[in-house]
Amino acid sequence: MNSYIESTSFFGNVSAEELATKYGTPLYVYNERILRNSMRTVSKLIQGYRYVANYSMKANSNLSILKIVNEEGLNADAMSEGEIRLLMKAGFSTDRIFFVPNNVSSQEMQFAIDNGILVSLDSLDQLERYGNLDRGGRCAIRINPGVGAGHHSKVVTAGKNTKFAISRDDIDEALEIAARHELTIVGINQHVGSLFMDPEPFLQAVSNLLSVAQRFGRLEFIDFGGGYGVPYHKLDNEQSFDFENFEVKFKALVDEFVSTVGYTPLFKTEPGRYVCCEGGVLLGRVHATKDNAGRKYAGTDIGMNVLARPAIYDAWHDIEVIRNSEIITDGDLEKVTLVGNICETGDIIADDRLLPKIKTEDLVCVLDAGAYGYSMSSNYNCRLRPAEVLITENGDDKLIRRRENYDDLFSSFEL
Ligand SMILES: *Cc1c(COP(=O)(O)O)cnc(C)c1O
């Protein structure tokens, strides 16, 4: 069996067992070298044009990781006031933050306006609301390119079945609203959905957005959204997203647009998952094994409150099993259902999965947990959120978020 942990020296100078003993489990562990490599890949698209990658921080909002994103020169997208506040704390200047919210209050829009942060409006109604707050100001609008993509219907954010964006049929009305409030629409953005490995729907959406762009005057920027996938079946040799091939086709569309309109805006994309997914894993401890009606279960401390993706999206995460600091890559395999410690039947990390025979006290390492892992975690069942540790570029471990404690759990109650 392949081992991603071994082939990448994921834990640097420390072993999984040392990390688990020192910080406790469950534990999110990130590898700085892998994170920075992913950031560099998405920073270099569409060569020859002014281009910037906006990190979509909902994928992972750890402050230390945001600082690394900042150091690597990416800009950032925020979905909420909380995300904006964190980005500012991480050192992003407000001209490098793009607010792309959905159904927000005037108060939240005003917070962005007061801080000089550009806002993208995603409905005619929200555009009207914005115009009332910032007459004569600048804004962007989010367009539905008419085509969506993604690994699950819950993450397809364009096309017919979605709450997001302004439809292409409503652009004239959007322009009217903007004119009435003397707003300048300086950019347009889109987001087709999350986790595509086949670039074709994205490229179709790029092409659609570029034709929509011709209905506007000179735009400062055109933003094509995020969604680049990562290989969640990497232990079965699933290959990474083919950026090389993708870029050739992407650039051809952009070339054609620029020669048609005769000006060159700034181009953007908004990667979230790609930036941090493969640079993060989740370690958990097996506290019990059992057979129930002929099915073997391995019960860990990785509940659905810690990693929600399998329960929400039926998502697949590769698993490695570690015993006494050794990653088990040979020996007998058996089918096992890996579960957590939450009182829900759906609290499953890996369903009926062929894995090395698991024993109590083994560690399990859930791969590709750096995106939509911690950021979607909760206190369900009054469980505490785990710690996060960074393996720095020199291979040492550094705590970047402590485990929650029971004071944190009680802190918001009014007694
Ligand atoms: C979530 C989101 C992204 C990032 O999506 P990924 O699949 O993580 O790359 C980009 N843009 C918008 C508007 C989003 O909501």
Side-chain angles (χ1 to χ4, degrees), residues 22-216:
K22 185 166 171 185
Y23 300 105
T25 55
L27 180 69
Y28 276 99
V29 186
Y30 304 101
N31 181 296
E32 183 174 359
R33 176 176 41 84
I34 298 173
L35 291 173
R36 285 189 189 269
N37 276 339
S38 305
M39 292 171 199
R40 286 168 196 170
T41 300
V42 290
S43 298
K44 284 190 314 230
L45 298 176
I46 347 185
Q47 303 274 350
Y49 287 101
R50 284 191 307 128
Y51 163 80
V52 66
N54 273 33
Y55 171 53
S56 179
M57 69 163 284
K58 72 177 189 285
N60 188 313
S61 43
N62 184 289
L63 194 54
S64 297
I65 292 177
L66 295 178
K67 285 182 178 170
I68 295 173
V69 172
N70 190 15
E71 280 172 24
E72 290 294 334
L74 282 74
N75 288 353
D77 270 16
M79 309 288 159
S80 69
E81 179 174 333
E83 290 195 349
I84 293 174
R85 286 175 181 270
L86 261 171
L87 287 168
M88 295 198 300
K89 226 179 174 47
F92 285 84
S93 55
T94 51
D95 59 326
R96 292 174 53 217
I97 301 174
F98 185 32
F99 188 30
V100 284
N102 189 236
N103 307 326
V104 290
S105 67
S106 300
Q107 176 274 328
E108 207 164 326
M109 283 183 192
Q110 192 64 49
F111 177 79
I113 295 166
D114 290 346
N115 284 285
I117 292 168
L118 190 69
V119 184
S120 171
L121 290 315
D122 111 316
S123 65
L124 297 176
D125 202 4
Q126 291 259 286
L127 182 60
E128 188 81 53
R129 182 187 290 263
Y130 187 89
N132 286 327
L133 296 173
D134 192 27
R135 186 172 185 78
R138 295 150 43 84
C139 68
I141 58 174
R142 176 167 172 173
I143 310 271
N144 185 336
V147 42
H151 69 96
H152 188 288
S153 61
K154 288 181 185 166
V155 300
V156 173
T157 54
K160 285 208 171 69
N161 293 310
T162 178
K163 67 169 179 165
F164 292 106
I166 295 175
S167 128
R168 287 175 294 177
D169 302 335
D170 290 336
I171 288 174
D172 286 337
E173 208 174 332
L175 289 168
E176 265 172 52
I177 295 170
R180 194 155 24 80
H181 295 282
E182 294 171 21
L183 290 172
T184 309
I185 295 175
V186 296
I188 54 176
N189 57 299
Q190 71 176 18
H191 177 55
V192 297
S194 196
L195 210 185
F196 55 81
M197 298 303 277
D198 170 9
E200 290 310 323
F202 181 89
L203 291 167
Q204 184 59 52
V206 166
S207 167
N208 293 0
L209 191 68
L210 288 172
S211 53
V212 167
Q214 298 181 34
R215 296 174 59 182
F216 294 80

